[in-house]
């Protein structure tokens, strides 16, 4: 089975990642190392973590993600079956957000499956070799570093693999900032960034 370096980007004084750390400590899997990484932004934090990784596969997990042992088992098996793919899970929002987050769940999974544009919340996993081929995460972007990486993967003909197992991620921000406002903003931003990056990568 593959050996995996788990990279969890965090902010100073952040505590959301503690539950993930406890999960991996309890799992006690010698094939997995956990790296808590900080940086100037999320892209920089993830690149810093990747530079410390000892294993051949990188698994980027957001700090507020909830994991179970079945997720680890499924990822290992999918990496074994498709070692050169980028793997990601389906997405499910936690119950700490508005009821209408069910629509966001459906939308995110439709976009990632049919358009091939998963979010970072879906815990992207790929080989260190492919990560370097894709020039790592773009630290110059203010947002959407995950989408930029995936768009470069499409251009480099690196295939994506959906793991049909849902990861749960927090929806607190939608409750705090307002479901409609944040949903519209994020849809606008990912569409705008996708158009911009697609144009720059393919037509310039």
């Amino acid at each position: 089975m593959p050996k995996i370096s788990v990279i969890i980007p965090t902010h100073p004084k952040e505590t959301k990642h503690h539950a993930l750390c406890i999960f991996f400590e309890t799992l006690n899997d010698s094939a997995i190392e956990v790296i808590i990484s900080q940086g100037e932004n999320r892209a920089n934090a993830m690149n810093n973590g990747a530079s410390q990784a000892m294993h051949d596969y990188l698994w980027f997990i957001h700090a507020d993600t909830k994991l179970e042992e079945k997720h680890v088992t499924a990822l290992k098996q999918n990496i074994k079956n498709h070692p050169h793919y980028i793997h990601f899970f389906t997405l499910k929002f936690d119950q700490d957000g508005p009821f209408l987050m069910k629509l966001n769940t459906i939308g995110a999974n439709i976009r990632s499956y049919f358009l091939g544009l998963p979010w970072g919340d879906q815990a992207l996993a790929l080989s260190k070799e492919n990560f370097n081929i894709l020039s790592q995460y773009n630290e110059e972007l203010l947002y959407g570093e995950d989408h930029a990486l995936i768009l470069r993967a499409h251009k480099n003909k690196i295939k994506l693999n959906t793991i049909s197992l849902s990861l749960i991620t927090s929806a607190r921000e939608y409750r705090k900032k307002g479901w409609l406002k944040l949903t519209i903003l994020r849809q606008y931003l990912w569409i705008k960034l996708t158009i911009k990056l697609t144009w720059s990568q393919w037509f310039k």
Side-chain angles (χ1 to χ4, degrees), residues 30-47:
S30 60
I32 290 180
E33 68 166 344
V34 178
I35 301 170
I36 308 300
S37 184
Q38 296 182 4
E40 296 177 3
N41 54 36
R42 176 174 282 169
N44 180 243
M46 291 190 290
N47 288 341

Side-chain angles (χ1 to χ4, degrees), residues 74 78-79 82 85-89 159-164:
N78 276 268
I79 288 177
H82 304 289
Y85 286 27
I86 295 178
H87 305 273
F88 62 92
F89 292 83
K159 294 183 178 180
L160 274 61
N161 174 53
T162 306
I163 300 174
S164 299

Side-chain angles (χ1 to χ4, degrees), residues 180-198:
L180 182 62
K181 178 181 178 181
L182 192 53
T183 296
I184 291 175
L185 175 62
R186 288 192 168 173
Q187 295 308 305
Y188 165 74
L189 289 175
W190 83 258
I191 292 172
K192 177 183 176 182
L193 182 65
T194 299
I195 293 172
K196 177 182 177 181
L197 292 177
T198 300

Side-chain angles (χ1 to χ4, degrees), residues 98-135:
F99 174 76
L100 288 172
M101 291 305 299
K102 293 177 183 287
L103 298 178
N104 298 64
T105 295
I106 294 170
N109 289 322
I110 287 175
R111 186 190 65 228
S112 61
Y113 185 80
F114 290 102
L115 299 182
L117 289 172
W119 282 354
D121 306 70
Q122 292 168 260
L124 305 180
L126 72 166
S127 68
K128 189 185 296 184
E129 179 183 2
N130 276 342
F131 186 64
N132 290 326
I133 287 173
L134 297 176
S135 301

Side-chain angles (χ1 to χ4, degrees), residues 7 10 22 26 28 38 47 49 59 65 87 113 117 135 167 197:
I7 298 165
T10 65
I22 292 172
T26 304
N28 193 28
Q38 296 182 4
N47 288 341
W59 188 12
T65 300
H87 305 273
Y113 185 80
L117 289 172
S135 301
L167 281 180
L197 292 177

